[in-house]
Amino acid sequence: MSDDHTRVQEFFTARAADWDRKFPDDGPAHAAAVAELGLRPGDRVLDAGCGTGRALTPLRAAVGASGVVLGADLTPAMLQEAVRAGRERDGWLLLADVAALPLRTGSLDAVFAAGLIAHLPDPAGNLRELARVVRPGGSLALFHPLGRAALAARQGRRITPDDLRAEPNLRPLLAGSGWRLTSYVDEDARFLALAVRED
Ligand SMILES: C[S@@+](CC[C@H](N)C(=O)[O-])C[C@H]1O[C@@H](n2cnc3c(N)ncnc32)[C@H](O)[C@@H]1O
């Protein structure tokens, strides 16, 4: 386990028990973002960095009983909260690092990732691994229930030009990792970047 992973686990282990209580109003925003992934009944989708599994229910609703929903997270305490909330009924939970997913190449139709990308020590390599497990033409949603400026304000910092979620940085980052950015929204009430897996 790298120092980066230990830091992530410590950070989210300390917050796991209160995570859903702290952000009680995010449900509709997660559901609206899931809707933009364009999932169809029977699709196979991964929630990367699923945390307490808040997106698993809308993902299951989108792919139906014949679909496959997976939630992967590095922090056991977050997954335990997902189980406590009964969300393993909506998807399979995997204790896994998005840097090395235990999934076959091209086995998924889509990846949803809420609040994940800022925590990745190797964004390009990790986005490439997400591209590996998605079929060509499949989709990716990078989502946060707050836009970049609103999140920075909540965290008492300013956004800087090197922020990797800024469109001029994110577009080439995705392009170099097997994705083509197709839509970008950064407003106070949400951040949502959609991308398609290149052939
Ligand atoms: C800000 S939380 C978001 C959780 C959830 N997606 C949500 O919207 O409520 C980020 C999550 O990503 C997980 N995470 C961070 N780095 C990861 C990695 N390399 N692989 C898998 N999960 C990771 C953390 O453990 C944490 O649960």
Side-chain angles (χ1 to χ4, degrees), residues 5 8-9 12 19-20 30 47-54 72-75 78 96-99 112-116 119-121 126 143-145:
H5 289 164
V8 164
Q9 285 187 335
F12 286 105
W19 191 258
D20 288 9
H30 275 71
D47 184 357
C50 66
T52 59
R54 298 189 299 170
D73 204 282
L74 193 63
T75 306
M78 293 293 268
D97 182 354
V98 299
F112 180 80
L116 174 70
H119 297 284
L120 299 177
N126 297 165
F143 169 68
H144 197 289

